Amino acid sequence: GIQVEQSPPDLILQEGANSTLRCNFSDSVNNLQWFHQNPWGQLINLFYIPSGTKQNGRLSATTVATERYSLLYISSSQTTDSGVYFCAVDYSGGGADGLTFGKGTHLIIQP
Amino acid sequence: NAGVTQTPKFRVLKTGQSMTLLCAQDMNHEYMYWYRQDPGMGLRLIHYSVGEGTTAKGEVPDGYNVSRLKKQNFLLGLESAAPSQTSVYFCASNPGTSGPPYEQYFGPGTRLTVT
């Protein structure tokens, strides 16, 4: 099956810093999503981004499908950004086969 | 619009007991999924359904059964619980055949402990 690798596995930053999280995948994908899992375990949809660039406030994401990677940018980090960030992909087209998740990047923002 | 809901939120079982987890969605989505998340890992797909009355196996289906008798509900059953099934279970749904975006929406999770 498809492999999804995220880097770095852990990241500790001071409040106000910027960060870039990377997701590499081993095969062509039709869908790619970024999620934030907060300290209470809730999964929050950040971006649905099979290709191109999107922005939402301090967060933005870029997927270069032809080179099989996606980047999540977090600017001016806040303590509420702490948690685990997951990249997940689907290569079946309509989502029929479910998502394959990476192991995540554990982000800690210190005040 | 509640989105995806899961019942119960927490459960403790003894080895060999059975239980059913309920997932409900009010978005009229065609596709539904059950995932499990173990410590330090991403989610892994257990079973999924692409429509009422249909189910299929995912990456880690052993020890689980599912049913989709109504479009809005997807049930996950454990017939004889084992400690290896201690995990957090997430349900998700996706619009499916109505066209992109094929974004998945997740429920809040059920934390299951098997002793």
Side-chain angles (χ1 to χ4, degrees), chain A residues 12-48:
Chain A
I12 301 174
L13 298 172
Q14 294 297 120
E15 203 167 19
N18 302 329
S19 58
T20 301
L21 282 56
R22 187 175 180 103
C23 172
N24 292 334
F25 41 94
S26 61
D27 206 342
S28 299
V29 298
N30 290 293
N31 302 330
L32 187 144
Q33 289 184 243
W34 282 98
F35 298 90
H36 174 212
Q37 187 167 41
N38 64 24
W40 295 270
Q42 186 181 11
L43 274 171
I44 300 163
N45 287 32
L46 296 178
F47 294 102
Y48 168 83

Side-chain angles (χ1 to χ4, degrees), chain A residues 48-63:
Chain A
Y48 168 83
I49 187 165
S51 63
T53 298
K54 290 186 177 179
Q55 180 153 8
N56 184 2
R58 296 181 295 102
L59 274 61
S60 64
T62 295
T63 297

